[in-house]
Structures are given as C-alpha cells and as structure tokens.
Amino acid sequence: MIGLEIKKIRRTGLIPALLAGGVFSAAFPVINLAVRTEMFTGRPGNPAAIVMDASWLTMAMANLCVIIIGACILYHIEHVNNGIQKMDALPVNPAVLFFDKGILLALILAVVFAIETAALYFCTWKWLGGGKQTLVSLCKTMGYTYAYSLPSLVLMLLIACLLKNMWVSFGIGMIGMFAAQLFIQEKSMAYFPFLLSYSSTKSREMLIAAVIETIALLAAGSGAAYLRRRTS
C-alpha cells in the first residue's frame, strides 16, 4: 500500500520538495557556524551540544513545516475531486490508508533528519574538532528529536484527514507551530505535540510521553477514518 501512496504523489513533486526543505534546514547550522565561527569555537563543552543549542530551534521549525506541508498535501490528493469518497467505495480499510500515509511521511522525515545529522556533524568536524564520539552523541540526540516529532506528524495527519480544505489544515498546523514557540519555557505545556518537536533534550520521560502520544493519536486517526467513512 505504501507503493500506492508513492504513486499517488509522484506527479505532485512532494517528496523532492520535502527533501529540499530538509536540505534548507541542514544548511542553517553550516551557514550559522561559518558566519559566526568565533562565537562558537571558544565555547567549552560537547561539540554536539554546542551546535544543537545554536541551531535546533530553527531546524525544528523547518521540520515542522515539512510535517505540516506533507500531511496537508497527502490528504489533499485524497479530498480533491472526492477521491477519498471513491476510495471508501472500495474494500480498503480506511485505517490502513491513514497508517500508510503516516509511515510514508515518517520515512521522508527520517531522511530529512539523516541529512540534518550529516550537516551538524560536518559543523562539529570543521569548526569544533568533533570526532567519532561526537557523531555518536549527535545520532543519539537526533534519534530522540525524531521520536519527539512523531506526535505532531500524526496529529497533522489526523487534522488533514478530517478537514477537506487543505488551507484550513495548513492554517491550524501553522498556528500550532507558532503557538508552541510562545510556551517553550512553560513546563506545563512540555508535552504539547508541537512543542515536543522543539526539544533536543535526551529525556526518557519525554520519550515515553512522545511514544504514548503517537500511539494515542494513531488510534484516534484510525477511529476518525472509520467515522468519516460512515458519515460520508
């Protein structure tokens, strides 16, 4: 079924566009350290932590844009010309359609994170004397941040599934992204899906919360897909 999803979006140019977003995000820390080298080279501490502290908020925002745009377009191609109603007439489990889109978007996001990890490591190697241990540290940190991004990914798919108008879904996603920035220092909002995406802390508690939220939102998405079919 994922192969079918790829065929659906082949003409949209979605995958190259989202990967281009990843390249744009990865370029930020390189440009940041290249322009302001002296500001970072004198800092004590782990090179991986230095580049993450300097660049992650902007990179996280770019990743959220990739998630929001990807989710909106993945379901827009279903809603346009009542394509999703035609799919409902086929013996296809609507929950499977939701899961397949989630897996596809998660795989694209994984490639984006891999590109970003390579760029961050290049920064540590070029300007901060990073080595193998730095790469291991970066991979662990990026693994955590990837897990933190999954709740917002599934939430955006849920929103896009329920709303036919792509621009309404896009607007809700952008509001969520910018609203999260206002509450970065609020501990009571730490587990808000969009806010989790901004965290680069390797926290077991936050990781468990992200996994629970992802599973809960997947269940909600499956239920919403069934409900939409019954009411359409």
Side-chain angles (χ1 to χ4, degrees), residues 196-219:
L196 269 175
S197 300
Y198 286 100
S199 176
S200 60
T201 303
K202 290 184 284 187
S203 166
R204 181 176 297 181
E205 182 178 320
M206 294 182 70
L207 180 62
I208 293 173
V211 171
I212 292 173
E213 287 183 13
T214 302
I215 294 172
L217 288 167
L218 282 172

Side-chain angles (χ1 to χ4, degrees), residues 7-85:
K7 288 181 180 179
K8 289 179 184 178
I9 63 174
R10 185 173 295 170
R11 294 182 180 179
T12 66
L14 177 62
I15 293 179
L18 296 184
L19 294 180
V23 172
F24 170 80
S25 175
F28 176 77
V30 177
I31 296 172
N32 191 22
L33 266 76
V35 173
R36 302 191 297 171
T37 305
E38 294 181 359
M39 181 180 294
F40 300 107
T41 52
R43 290 187 182 180
N46 186 342
I50 293 173
V51 294
M52 289 296 291
D53 290 344
S55 307
W56 183 246
L57 287 181
T58 301
M59 296 174 72
M61 187 187 301
N63 291 339
L64 280 172
C65 287
V66 167
I67 289 171
I68 293 168
I69 294 171
C72 290
I73 294 179
L74 280 175
Y75 263 103
H76 175 69
I77 61 177
E78 301 292 348
H79 289 304
V80 69
N81 296 323
N82 295 318
I84 200 163
Q85 281 76 17

Side-chain angles (χ1 to χ4, degrees), residues 17-204:
L18 296 184
L19 294 180
V23 172
F24 170 80
S25 175
F28 176 77
V30 177
I31 296 172
N32 191 22
L33 266 76
V35 173
R36 302 191 297 171
T37 305
E38 294 181 359
M39 181 180 294
F40 300 107
T41 52
R43 290 187 182 180
N46 186 342
I50 293 173
V51 294
M52 289 296 291
D53 290 344
S55 307
W56 183 246
L57 287 181
T58 301
M59 296 174 72
M61 187 187 301
N63 291 339
L64 280 172
C65 287
V66 167
I67 289 171
I68 293 168
I69 294 171
C72 290
I73 294 179
L74 280 175
Y75 263 103
H76 175 69
I77 61 177
E78 301 292 348
H79 289 304
V80 69
N81 296 323
N82 295 318
I84 200 163
Q85 281 76 17
K86 296 174 184 177
M87 287 291 292
D88 288 341
L90 300 174
V92 178
N93 189 329
V96 172
L97 182 67
F98 183 84
F99 276 107
D100 285 345
K101 291 184 183 299
I103 292 171
L104 177 59
L105 189 54
L107 289 174
I108 295 173
L109 187 65
V111 176
V112 168
F113 268 70
I115 295 170
E116 292 172 346
T117 303
L120 289 168
Y121 177 66
F122 171 79
C123 291
T124 64
W125 171 78
K126 176 71 173 178
W127 291 290
L128 303 174
K132 182 178 179 180
Q133 191 60 39
T134 301
L135 178 60
V136 172
S137 179
L138 271 174
C139 288
K140 288 181 179 179
T141 301
M142 293 299 283
Y144 273 85
T145 55
Y146 176 77
Y148 298 159
S149 298
L150 294 181
S152 57
L153 183 152
V154 182
L155 177 58
M156 275 309 307
L157 281 174
L158 173 58
I159 294 170
C161 172
L162 293 174
L163 301 175
K164 291 184 178 181
N165 191 315
M166 179 182 70
W167 295 109
V168 175
S169 301
F170 178 78
I172 292 173
M174 296 303 290
I175 290 172
M177 181 180 75
F178 286 113
Q181 296 180 29
L182 301 176
F183 299 104
I184 287 180
Q185 303 299 328
E186 295 290 335
K187 293 184 179 180
S188 60
M189 297 289 291
Y191 301 123
F192 175 54
F194 286 105
L195 189 52
L196 269 175
S197 300
Y198 286 100
S199 176
S200 60
T201 303
K202 290 184 284 187
S203 166
R204 181 176 297 181

